[in-house]
Amino acid sequence: MVLALRVLFYLVSVTFIVIVLIQPDRRHGMSGSGGGANSLFGVAQDGGPLAKITMYLGVAFLVIALLQYVMQ
């Protein structure tokens, strides 16, 4: 059981890294900020499917890490 959990943890970790790296950059440096309040505090945007996948993988990563800690 511990081995299966560890393998799953590695798969989720690598997938999480890949998904984060293929997402487009949302900020364009200080020159793209424009100085407005919306750009200063950020505007609520739908991140699309990659953002949802990232969220689910992040939750899975944390849950599996906690399970591994408890099972040690």
Side-chain angles (χ1 to χ4, degrees):
M1 178 68 179
V2 175
L3 180 62
L5 203 57
R6 185 161 295 170
V7 169
L8 182 64
F9 183 70
Y10 290 145
L11 288 174
V12 168
S13 299
V14 170
T15 308
F16 189 48
I17 291 168
V18 169
I19 293 294
V20 167
L21 288 176
I22 65 172
Q23 288 185 16
D25 190 19
R26 292 181 187 240
R27 57 185 183 109
H28 303 288
M30 290 301 289
S31 62
S33 67
N38 287 341
S39 62
L40 179 62
F41 298 110
V43 176
Q45 298 176 359
D46 182 24
L50 285 179
K52 290 182 182 185
I53 292 171
T54 304
M55 181 186 64
Y56 292 134
L57 284 172
V59 169
F61 179 85
L62 290 174
V63 168
I64 295 170
L66 287 173
L67 282 174
Q68 283 185 351
Y69 176 75
V70 169
M71 294 180 104
Q72 264 186 342

